[in-house]
Amino acid sequence: MATTHWATTRTEEQLVNDAKTLFTSTYDEEPTGVWAAPGRVNLIGDHVDYAEGICLPFALEQLTAIAAAGRNDHVVNIITVMPGQDEPQRLSMSLEEVGKGNPATWAGYVVGVIWALNSSNALVCKTGMDIAVVSDVPVGSGLSSSAALECSTALAAVDVKGSSFRKMAMYPVMVEATMRAENDVVGASTGGLDQRTSFYGKKNQALEIDFLYDEFTYVPCNFTDHGLAVLVADTNAPHRLIDGQYGSRRGLIDEVTAVLRKEDSTFRDFTVEQVLELLAKTSECSDHDLYRRRVGHVISETQRTQHAVSCLRDGDFSKFGKLMTESHASLRDDYAVVTPELDCAVNAALSAGALGARMTGGGFGGSIIALVKKENMESTAQSIAEAAEARGFEAPTFLEARPSHGARRLA
């Protein structure tokens, strides 16, 4: 029988203590404060945020915390102990060195945010920072550890430099800065779903984010009250969005979006066949079947998400689960971002009686989510672990996802 491994999550007090301890032992002074931002899980609506679609994520209880203090020069010093590692990682870099594709590593999510904020009109004091990072958001899991790191950095930078992030007007500025860090510095062409969720998350609420209108609405989301749970299974298969696969799909959709905009239209205005007919008239479409599948996913996923929002509001969890499973099939068959590990975990969850299951996030590794009866969560995890072991895959790691608060100052 395979062993199930469950992720551990520290309390806010533990995170504050650990972040402060790492900071003071490194920089020999007390930090100005500690800020934190959560990872996220996307219930449905993947790979449509950059196609003016609709997504339904919520913020997780798992946080990335940053202890920080300002400096009088342009240097950013970072120390972190990554989840699951014992040895700290360090980086020291001048903001003057930051630019497109530099640094294209985890550190870019930190210095890139500070650089983006400094190049905006939001801040007057354009200086560096000393930073210590601790995190319970699994890295490479498809739960947006990158956005958690970016958003906690943005809060720390704005607060340390004297601006009040409590003013709602600062949130769009910080969202833009975190996206610039991810897109321009690290080189991951994501669409903003993760950052918005990490900033705006609320307890027992999901966010219906409509990227066509750049707005969101809170949707009540408390599965526990209905005897249900969202089980996350991190397959521990490497999850990377900067190796070209993600970019190739976004490039195709960006191309189609540009054609639609010339017609003053969006994906919501057409069927797949109508989009293909328009492409045939206005651009080269060398692989007809590829465009059909990619466009088909974007159109159907947005429609599924709209239906899922209604199901969540109405408490129709059986239909909600079916929509989750249909989404997974589309991401596998039409968008081709599902790995064998992800598919194995979804199939195992469904065989164990889950109401629905799907990969979550960008794909190419990472995690799946399953909507299960609370009483069956452990047995479902056991089934997923046994299926992974039978296929020779890495042992998955599990956690229960509960909608929680967004980015905030902890100390």
Side-chain angles (χ1 to χ4, degrees):
M1 179 179 291
T3 302
T4 56
H5 303 278
W6 291 83
T8 57
T9 301
R10 285 169 281 191
T11 66
E12 289 188 5
E13 182 179 8
Q14 289 171 326
L15 278 171
V16 168
N17 289 337
D18 290 348
K20 282 185 173 181
T21 299
L22 183 59
F23 186 95
T24 55
S25 64
T26 303
Y27 303 112
D28 198 27
E29 63 173 333
E30 291 293 319
T32 302
V34 179
W35 298 262
R40 66 94 192 94
V41 70
N42 194 23
L43 290 170
I44 193 168
D46 279 310
H47 284 283
V48 297
D49 54 340
Y50 52 81
E52 300 175 330
I54 299 174
C55 308
L56 188 64
F58 64 72
L60 293 168
E61 294 175 318
Q62 287 71 29
L63 299 169
T64 293
I66 283 184
R71 296 177 56 87
N72 294 321
D73 55 23
H74 294 92
V75 174
V76 177
N77 295 312
I78 312 168
I79 184 166
T80 183
V81 179
M82 305 292 271
Q85 297 185 9
D86 296 323
E87 292 298 318
Q89 297 186 34
R90 300 171 183 259
L91 177 133
S92 181
M93 186 174 191
S94 171
L95 291 170
E96 297 169 348
E97 301 175 58
V98 180
K100 191 172 183 63
N102 181 35
T105 65
W106 65 269
Y109 298 118
V110 178
V111 296
V113 168
I114 301 170
W115 167 81
L117 284 169
N118 284 347
S119 62
S120 72
N121 294 323
L123 303 175
V124 177
C125 182
K126 301 179 183 294
T127 57
M129 298 175 68
D130 291 331
I131 291 173
V133 183
V134 296
S135 182
D136 284 337
V137 183
V139 175
S141 62
L143 302 179
S144 200
S145 59
S146 57
L149 183 56
E150 293 160 358
C151 296
S152 54
T153 298
L155 288 182
V158 170
D159 208 25
V160 163
K161 291 166 187 276
S163 299
S164 175
F165 65 78
R166 294 169 186 85
K167 295 178 181 178
M168 194 60 72
M170 283 301 300
Y171 275 70
V173 174
M174 290 189 286
V175 168
E176 180 180 357
T178 55
M179 289 180 64
R180 285 190 64 194
E182 191 147 317
N183 296 167
D184 298 342
V185 177
V186 180
S189 55
T190 53
L193 159 67
D194 303 339
Q195 294 86 353
R196 284 173 173 82
T197 309
S198 190
F199 273 123
Y200 291 105
K202 281 188 177 182
K203 187 175 182 179
N204 295 330
Q205 302 283 327
L207 285 77
E208 178 191 4
I209 307 177
D210 191 325
F211 286 88
L212 176 60
Y213 301 104
D214 193 23
E215 61 186 22
F216 70 89
T217 304
Y218 288 110
V219 183
C221 182
N222 191 351
F223 293 108
T224 303
D225 284 352
H226 301 275
L228 301 172
V230 176
L231 173 68
V232 177
D234 179 1
T235 65
N236 288 310
H239 166 81
R240 288 176 55 83
L241 299 183
I242 56 175
D243 62 358
Q245 294 295 320
Y246 184 102
S248 69
R249 283 152 182 78
R250 173 156 188 178
L252 185 152
I253 295 302
D254 284 349
E255 174 192 339
V256 178
T257 300
V259 171
L260 294 176
R261 284 178 177 165
K262 290 179 181 178
E263 300 294 318
D264 196 26
S265 300
T266 72
F267 285 98
R268 301 184 205 184
D269 299 320
F270 297 105
T271 65
V272 176
E273 290 301 328
Q274 288 170 332
V275 172
L276 293 175
E277 289 175 7
L278 186 60
L279 286 172
K281 296 176 182 177
T282 59
S283 66
E284 293 186 9
C285 180
S286 56
D287 191 334
H288 193 82
D289 182 62
L290 179 65
Y291 277 77
R292 177 189 298 279
R293 288 185 286 114
R294 301 291 190 262
V295 170
H297 169 74
V298 168
I299 292 176
S300 65
E301 185 77 347
T302 294
Q303 292 171 345
R304 272 189 295 271
T305 305
Q306 290 174 311
H307 293 154
V309 170
S310 297
C311 290
L312 191 57
R313 291 188 185 278
D314 295 340
D316 188 348
F317 299 109
S318 177
K319 178 60 176 176
F320 188 92
K322 291 177 181 178
L323 290 166
M324 289 174 63
T325 306
E326 290 173 8
S327 170
H328 179 79
S330 180
L331 287 160
R332 180 191 63 213
D333 301 335
D334 291 336
Y335 226 67
V337 296
V338 174
T339 62
E341 293 91 342
L342 292 168
D343 213 32
C344 175
V346 163
N347 290 334
L350 293 173
S351 296
L355 279 70
R358 64 185 295 275
M359 60 144 274
T360 187
F364 308 108
S367 299
I368 68 110
I369 56 173
L371 183 60
V372 301
K373 292 182 179 179
K374 181 79 171 179
E375 62 195 34
N376 295 337
M377 188 163 59
E378 178 64 46
S379 60
T380 303
Q382 184 68 46
S383 296
I384 294 172
E386 290 176 356
E389 184 177 71
R391 294 282 300 274
F393 296 147
E394 292 289 331
T397 306
F398 301 95
L399 60 87
E400 181 182 355
R402 290 182 284 259
S404 191
H405 299 292
R408 57 203 184 269
R409 182 169 182 159
L410 297 183

